[in-house]
Amino acid sequence: MLNEALTSIKGIGPTRAERFAALGLFTFSDLICFMPREYRDYSRVTNICDLKQDDYAVIRVTELGSPKTVRIPRSHLTVTTVSVSDGTGRLQATWYNQAYAAKNVPTANGGYVIGKFDKRRGMKLLQPAFASVIPGIQPIYPLVKGLNQSIIRNAVRIALNSCRDEITDELGESIRKEFSLMPKADALENAHFPQDAASLNAARRSIAFEDALLFTIMLAYIRSLRSREKGISFDVTGIKDEFLKLIPFALTNAQSRIIDEIACDMHSSAPMNRLIQGDVGSGKTVLALYAMYAAMKNGYQSALMAPTEILAQQHYKQLNSIFGEKAAIITGRQTKKQREELIGKIAEGKVTAVTGTHALIEGDVKFRNLGIVITDEQHRFGVHQRAKLGSKAATPDVMIMSATPIPRTLSLILYGDLDVSILNDMPPGRIPVNTKYVPQSKRIAMYRYIEKTVQEKAIQAYVVCPMIEDNEEMESVNSAEAVFDELSEMLSVRVALMHGRMKNAEKESTMEAFRRGEIDVLVSTTVIEVGVDVPNANIIAIESADRFGLAQLHQLRGRVGRGNMESYCFLLSDSDSKLVRDRLKTLTETNDGFKIAEKDLEIRGPGDFIGTRQHGEVSLGAALGADMNTLLEAHEAAERIMKEDTPDCRRLIDKAKQKYERSYKDIAIN
Ligand code: ADP
Ligand code: MG
């Protein structure tokens, strides 16, 4: 049954199956492994008089009104309400744009109603549901349009029931005992439909442990395969000194140290596989330039891959200053003739240092002797793309540069297949971004300030929102579309909108227009390009900043402060929680991305960071909700197992290969 298609579930036809497919769900097995993104605890009754803002509550219904639906004038909104009392107070169960919900309201008193309590807009219970018994802990799954929680829950229930006997324990008895893990079938049952909070925790831990263990084994295995490959041994004697004469500044200590590490890798006959992490502006490009220079001195070509055209152009300027005629850029915009000419030069080896976007990895580009491949802003490239470029040469050295600081302990786990260098200091003279916390009450004044500054100083501003469009479940969050509408009306400057659902070409042209100064205020989701340099953009305002991780906020803040003018980052939040405010204040106190990442790990756990290694490549899906201890335990267990080389170990390697099959094949050819 594990491979049974979802269409065999009653109520799932071809159309609905397509919605499931959009979530990556095709079979029963996919459903069973589809982890809830959170849980709502509906296992205890609360009195209305004791409710606190944003509580998810179960209310005993002793008195029930009859439902009413009203249409809000000049809006698309209908509001359906029914009055509920439990003897300690009264509230309005409230649905937005769900007039049909009125049909499901019971006609007699008794039973329960659940939902999210909101007292700010009157005593309301939002998106409520009636139930005859106390529902218990409910799973909340990631959704796409056309599906809702109850459709997914029912499907998962059916899949679990039909496959229970086929779920096997991969880890084996001894590991389960040693780390007190639940049997797999029990763990899955409780992760979807928890009996109580304790079994939910144990279940999530067990699943995350297995996931992290297999992940570590996989990466360690890939590393061991690579170390047996034969790469190029470059002669690096004296090259650093020569290179230093070509650049206009002295290296920072960290840059100098990492150049030595790169030199050591390049000299070694095993292929280099190094990840370099450094905050935005820490000076990663010069490291790439060094490696490309060393390759050239040894008669090899090099490729520097950038995630966007704009970044490739920025790189090309620098390549040009070092390699002159022997530098080249391949972009999607060149004419067929230009491209053919360039490709000819690359194939003949007349061009040495090449940069570009994904156009660089398209089939017809052939290098004469590619020695090193560097990808910038790594998290935009999946393993697949990197592998493709890697396959253009036998076993070139591979270097990856990332602007996402990740705490050391965690990057050893997430990037166990790579050597990791951390660029942890900044070039001198950088002016830190002024970062301010802005409460809801000062929001409008802030936008007026932005308007005035934009007009008076001719600078530009970003406004970042956590979501594209409004969503009733998160009423208090301002979406990009809503803020765009609001600001277009309110401000007398040029406002534009950019978000992830727009076509790539549209996004790039909006970004281009912003760069050229044709847009004053750019409202967007988090799609604004990492590494994009718009020196004239000196203000960034982040709506509902509490919705983002600190590391992500820090990343966003890195979009400004690239020129030599004073720059500002405004963190908006309407949260009245001290915890939230203290968390955001971390950013007002430090500019060090690694410190911020550590703090984020401490407060939010590893989930956000794990998410950064998820773009179409090896991912630690189920471990997203794991705590750091579980990850570390699993990591240690995996390393021990790999050393032992027992039947257990071989079985787990096979299992890991099977699980990460697609990624494994791609990585192995790299
Ligand atoms: P990122 O790590 O974000 O890619 P860049 O390599 O683009 O950073 O460097 C940011 C800026 O700092 C560039 O203008 C670069 O020329 C400059 N820079 C880099 N290293 C140094 C240094 N050691 N001293 C002075 N300026 C530097
Ligand atoms: Mg860069």
Side-chain angles (χ1 to χ4, degrees), residues 284-285 315 376-377:
K284 292 182 290 296
T285 318
H315 286 325
D376 193 8
E377 315 300 354

Side-chain angles (χ1 to χ4, degrees), residues 450 454 461-463 487 491 493-496 514 519-523:
I450 292 178
V454 163
Y462 298 101
V463 176
L487 296 186
L491 306 182
V493 296
R494 295 163 299 178
V495 184
F514 187 65
I519 295 167
D520 298 313
V521 174
L522 181 63
V523 180

Side-chain angles (χ1 to χ4, degrees), residues 491-505:
L491 306 182
S492 45
V493 296
R494 295 163 299 178
V495 184
L497 175 67
M498 184 167 89
H499 60 66
R501 250 187 257 141
M502 284 161 57
K503 297 224 169 67
N504 272 339

Side-chain angles (χ1 to χ4, degrees), residues 249-252 255 279-286 427-428 562:
F249 45 71
L251 297 176
T252 65
Q255 281 171 330
D279 231 326
V280 171
S282 60
K284 292 182 290 296
T285 318
V286 71
R562 309 196 135 225

Side-chain angles (χ1 to χ4, degrees), residues 292-523:
M292 296 173 92
Y293 184 74
M296 182 198 62
K297 281 284 160 178
N298 281 266
Y300 282 92
Q301 291 169 301
S302 56
L304 172 55
M305 203 152 66
T308 65
E309 187 100 22
I310 298 169
L311 282 167
Q313 294 285 0
Q314 282 173 27
H315 286 325
Y316 176 63
K317 269 192 212 138
Q318 304 214 38
L319 290 184
N320 204 261
S321 73
I322 291 182
F323 301 95
E325 294 253 287
K326 287 184 172 284
I329 178 167
I330 288 206
T331 80
R333 292 193 195 161
Q334 283 155 335
T335 62
K336 198 155 171 261
K337 185 155 165 283
Q338 283 173 320
R339 186 180 165 91
E340 270 165 14
E341 198 180 294
L342 204 52
I343 285 176
K345 282 190 186 165
I346 294 172
E348 288 161 33
K350 283 187 186 149
V351 153
T352 316
V354 189
T355 188
T357 59
H358 62 280
L360 200 56
I361 56 174
E362 274 156 24
D364 56 347
V365 184
K366 291 208 172 51
F367 290 84
R368 196 170 78 88
N369 59 352
L370 183 58
I372 183 163
V373 175
I374 304 164
T375 64
D376 193 8
E377 315 300 354
Q378 146 280 332
H379 61 276
R380 296 285 311 273
F381 281 118
V383 164
H384 307 291
Q385 281 159 309
R386 245 183 283 139
K388 222 164 149 187
L389 188 52
S391 71
K392 291 191 175 286
T395 29
D397 281 357
V398 172
M399 189 167 129
I400 302 155
M401 304 197 293
S402 163
T404 314
I406 292 177
R408 181 112 214 160
T409 40
L410 202 49
S411 75
L412 293 178
I413 297 178
L414 293 182
Y415 296 98
D417 54 331
L418 306 170
D419 296 309
V420 179
S421 298
I422 294 183
L423 189 52
N424 55 357
D425 58 17
M426 281 281 172
R430 211 166 173 250
I431 314 169
V433 180
N434 281 302
T435 305
K436 301 241 184 319
Y437 173 84
V438 180
Q440 187 63 20
S441 59
K442 301 211 174 120
R443 180 170 175 273
I444 300 295
M446 178 203 76
Y447 279 122
R448 288 286 171 220
Y449 171 81
I450 292 178
E451 177 184 41
K452 186 168 145 254
T453 316
V454 163
Q455 287 167 337
E456 285 174 3
K457 299 196 179 149
I459 56 127
Q460 291 161 282
Y462 298 101
V463 176
V464 179
C465 303
M467 304 184 309
I468 299 176
E469 58 191 33
D470 275 347
N471 169 341
E472 308 97 51
E473 265 187 60
M474 288 184 270
E475 263 200 288
S476 59
V477 179
N478 289 319
S479 70
E481 285 181 349
V483 171
F484 170 70
D485 289 345
E486 181 188 359
L487 296 186
S488 306
E489 189 142 309
M490 178 169 99
L491 306 182
S492 45
V493 296
R494 295 163 299 178
V495 184
L497 175 67
M498 184 167 89
H499 60 66
R501 250 187 257 141
M502 284 161 57
K503 297 224 169 67
N504 272 339
E506 211 180 336
K507 274 187 288 193
E508 287 213 4
S509 74
T510 309
M511 204 57 224
E512 255 321 311
F514 187 65
R515 247 170 95 76
R516 286 195 303 263
E518 293 161 14
I519 295 167
D520 298 313
V521 174
L522 181 63
V523 180

